[in-house]
Amino acid sequence: MAQAKTDGTALGYEQARDELIDVVRRLETGGTTLEESLALWERGEELAKVCRGWLEGARARLDAALAEGTEPGEG
């Protein structure tokens, strides 16, 4: 199960976002050791990267769809 957790490609946007929210809450709450906090921070960075990748992909698809809809001479 640890492999699926660290494999960002296996996570959907919503899964990564929800886990990131949980990580942030845990960090804000405190009560963890320095080692645990560092591990949470690293996981949060991984999850943020996954979310960013999904959002950039969605933006690229949207831009491509908009570009296809704009033919020269239209308007």
Side-chain angles (χ1 to χ4, degrees):
M1 183 170 203
Q3 186 178 26
K5 211 173 178 193
T6 59
D7 182 6
T9 60
L11 288 176
Y13 173 78
E14 290 83 5
Q15 292 170 309
R17 182 204 57 213
D18 291 347
E19 188 178 341
L20 180 57
I21 290 169
D22 183 55
V23 166
V24 170
R25 282 187 186 140
R26 290 176 63 192
L27 285 169
E28 288 178 342
T29 301
T32 57
T33 65
L34 178 58
E35 186 174 318
E36 291 168 334
S37 293
L38 287 173
L40 285 169
W41 180 269
E42 290 170 347
R43 182 62 181 157
E45 288 291 326
E46 291 172 9
L47 292 164
K49 189 183 296 185
V50 170
C51 290
R52 193 169 31 253
W54 276 103
L55 293 173
E56 288 171 358
R59 171 53 90 183
R61 289 176 57 195
L62 179 59
D63 288 345
L66 290 173
E68 285 179 15
T70 307
E71 296 290 325
E74 281 188 3

